[in-house]
Amino acid sequence: MSNPLELQSKFDELKNQLNYHNYRYYVLDDPTVPDIEYDRLFQQLKELESQHPELVTPDSPTQRVGEAPLSAFSQVAHEVPMLSLDNAFSDEDLESFNRRLQDRLKNPDDIEFACEPKLDGIAVSLLYVNGQLERGATRGDGTTGEDITQNVRTITSIPLRLMGEGYPEVLEVRGEIYMPKQGFERLNQKAREAGEKTFVNPRNAAAGSLRQLDARITASRPLQMCAYSVGRFDGGSLPERHTEVLEQLHQWGFLINPEMAVVHNISGCLEYYRRLGEKRDSLPYDIDGIVFKVNNLALQQTLGFVSRAPRWAIAYKFPAQEEMTQLLSVEFQVGRTGAVTPVARLNPVFVGGVTVSNATLHNRDEINRLGVMVGDTVVVRRAGDVIPQVVSIVKSQRPADASEIVFPETCPVCDSPVETVPGEAVARCTGGLICGAQRKEAIKHFASRKAMDIDGLGDKLVEQLVDEGLIHSVADLYRLEASQVAELERMGPKSAENLIAALEASKSTSFERFLYSLGIREVGEATARGLSRYFGNLDALIAANEESLQKVDDVGPVVAHFVAEFLRQEHNLEAIEALQKAGVHWDDISVEERHEPLADQTYVVTGSFSLIKRDEAKKLLQQLGAKVAGSVSAKTHCVVVGGGATNNSKYVKAQELGIQTMTEEELVALLQEHGVL
Ligand code: IVH
């Protein structure tokens, strides 16, 4: 491509296509091409740019990766100040906001409000000149912020160049940069695994990610930006209502909040507030309230500002998800596998909509990381259904008599030694089923829905049964009599009868459920299923050594060790025997049913075969549990291509969709590996 004009237009076309696909994907959440097509275009552009570095422009999608670190952020003066919002904390506060509006406006009968979730992130200003992103800045003190252009450029939902037409010469878009909950969890999980510091909440994670002098770090963080207003605006006109302005921004390439709504009067606001309050926990991002704005821009003008906040808007806050309280003491709980978990006993505090008096401290590493002591003022976070966590401490408020948290050397329940496996953060009670706590947890697990599914046998009842000495092990459950159960708290003859009937019904089970219910460490439902399918019956499983256990899908040396160890211990074998004697039974899995390592996988077989017949290959794949289909789709797991037919249409389709392919030789090896050939 030697012609410079042709080259330029190829460049422009690629950039336009990529920017458009980026917008479809990140802003509209409605991509029109598969990821692989995007990757292909991106690769093309990168190659072209490496051949012609002089043609690389700042709006190129390749420039989102972050540049070399800055030594400091420079300052940015906001021509139009970035204001904050007044807060409301009750319906009364909102009603007095409404009265203030009515007092100032001459015709206040029907005020239209825009309602938007108040995103919990960092306010940002983005300046576009002739459609190009020129500068990104933080809010700072509202008048002066910091230049974070390098960092905002890495955020995929921020357009590097405005989409469509009709945008003004100068446009300043304002909005919130935030980290979605899922990305936050993943980021913290990675940090935990690497032994690094975690972030307290998604807001801090977003702030920390944005405050990086090295934009490559920002680029690696899952940030998003949602637009909520316009600052500077020269050379063009805007619609009359705030919500229409946001719709316009959406068309120019910005993400706007899909929950945004228009309501009439304060009653509409209150209804919206309640509705979003109920939805809060299920939203993919943190919000800390609702922002209500008078929707008519002319009315906004009339109302104007007081000091730092507009008169035409208010933020009605939700109950806080973080609160401060005192750590009164730390107790140690023993779980089913003996894990000893420190639990913080707190001065009760209302947070995230409930009163919290306990929070997990996870393990010794977490205690060290927090540097927490008994007596400290701690920050407790409860967001959604997640169990309350101590996320940080307020060291400046540490009392003189604060005491260190001492991990017990012996189990608080059974007094057996507690051991810490080197390299593991968890401390464990070594008492096994001698330990009352582990026994209770084991019985609760045995009775649970995905295990033996004993209806009516909840945690509280298990605790009573053990505490009253009516049962010591799972097998004892089947010796219970209605008259004994009826005596217990909150039980009576009828519920006792029901429990006995449920126990009776649970005796008829499946091998995989039974295996899962034993509560072997690291044996979840999927592993129990894998083991039961592979070995088919209990005797075969008990006879298996660690090496053969690892032939089961997803069973590695650690799990194999736990299984073998469990089935070696005399008391476990006795418990199993006692259960079978009590009448627990299941159908063994026949050889034909048993060996299905390729279950849930769909294969397509194409091309000419020479080592085995094609039909034979299909039959053997099916024998291993695979489905064999005639055409390639996104659901296909693998395409087997005979005769090296790389121009075969099914092969091409597989390549396009990024689906795995296999030669005839590889298929033969696979069939041999699974012992069907
Ligand atoms: S409007 C003049 N809308 O809340 C009005 N702010 O407490 C300026 N925020 O600094 C803000 N979501 O960072 C507006 N939908 C939303 C918002 C929102 C979050 C933040 C913003 C602002 C702070 C004010």
Side-chain angles (χ1 to χ4, degrees), residues 44-106:
Q44 270 185 26
L45 181 62
K46 257 176 87 169
E47 260 164 48
L48 214 55
E49 285 182 341
S50 74
Q51 289 157 13
H52 304 280
E54 72 284 1
L55 293 181
V56 180
T57 57
D59 69 357
S60 166
T62 61
Q63 302 303 296
R64 287 194 187 270
V65 287
E67 295 162 48
L70 300 171
S71 53
F73 295 118
S74 51
Q75 296 213 319
V76 170
H78 298 298
E79 269 181 49
V80 181
M82 289 182 77
L83 302 166
S84 63
L85 291 168
D86 266 347
N87 289 326
F89 297 99
S90 63
D91 290 2
E92 290 72 50
D93 288 353
L94 198 65
E95 275 149 15
S96 49
F97 162 71
N98 191 40
R99 271 196 300 280
R100 291 196 295 277
L101 293 180
Q102 301 204 324
D103 287 349
R104 286 193 168 258
L105 298 174
K106 300 286 168 281

Side-chain angles (χ1 to χ4, degrees), residues 464-501:
Q464 277 197 73
L465 288 167
V466 176
D467 289 342
E468 295 295 320
L470 292 176
I471 57 172
H472 293 92
S473 69
V474 287
D476 292 343
L477 283 169
Y478 294 103
R479 289 185 209 110
L480 282 172
E481 281 170 25
S483 57
Q484 295 173 302
V485 180
E487 299 293 300
L488 298 170
E489 235 174 81
R490 270 174 301 172
M491 294 297 280
K494 183 75 195 132
S495 44
E497 291 291 343
N498 288 346
L499 179 69
I500 303 298

Side-chain angles (χ1 to χ4, degrees), residues 149-284:
T149 310
Q150 294 225 45
N151 305 47
V152 298
R153 301 177 57 79
T154 67
I155 299 172
T156 43
S157 45
I158 294 180
L160 299 173
R161 186 204 296 174
L162 298 181
M163 312 280 305
E165 285 155 20
Y167 46 77
E169 228 171 276
V170 178
L171 173 71
E172 185 197 353
V173 177
R174 291 175 176 178
E176 198 85 349
I177 291 179
Y178 60 97
M179 190 177 285
K181 291 176 189 169
Q182 220 183 21
F184 165 73
E185 294 300 341
R186 229 177 284 142
L187 185 66
N188 265 0
Q189 186 58 32
K190 259 202 258 162
R192 242 176 258 125
E193 281 163 14
E196 291 163 6
K197 239 181 114 135
T198 51
F199 287 105
V200 164
N201 55 39
R203 202 196 98 87
N204 284 27
S209 302
L210 216 49
R211 218 181 290 118
Q212 296 288 337
L213 289 167
D214 186 346
R216 287 167 298 191
I217 300 179
T218 315
S220 72
R221 302 282 170 80
L223 295 174
Q224 277 188 2
M225 180 340 247
C226 174
Y228 55 60
S229 72
V230 166
R232 268 185 73 187
F233 183 88
D234 301 329
S237 61
L238 281 178
E240 284 174 9
R241 294 148 91 216
H242 169 74
T243 42
E244 291 164 356
V245 172
L246 296 194
E247 295 292 354
Q248 177 65 76
L249 290 181
H250 189 43
Q251 279 165 26
W252 286 334
F254 295 90
L255 196 67
I256 59 171
N257 198 299
E259 306 297 337
M260 178 174 79
V262 175
V263 301
H264 291 266
N265 299 319
I266 219 68
S267 53
C269 293
L270 286 170
E271 197 188 306
Y272 182 90
Y273 179 81
R274 307 247 184 288
R275 191 163 63 73
L276 262 282
E278 280 165 22
K279 216 172 162 182
R280 181 186 190 186
D281 291 342
S282 61
L283 291 174

Side-chain angles (χ1 to χ4, degrees), residues 82-87 116-124 139 175-176 227-229 242 288 291 293 305 308-310 312-313 315:
M82 289 182 77
L83 302 166
S84 63
L85 291 168
D86 266 347
N87 289 326
E116 298 163 26
K118 185 170 188 296
L119 295 163
D120 205 3
I122 311 299
V124 68
R139 175 170 178 272
E176 198 85 349
Y228 55 60
S229 72
H242 169 74
D288 58 351
V291 185
K293 302 173 181 172
F305 304 87
R308 312 278 317 274
W312 43 263

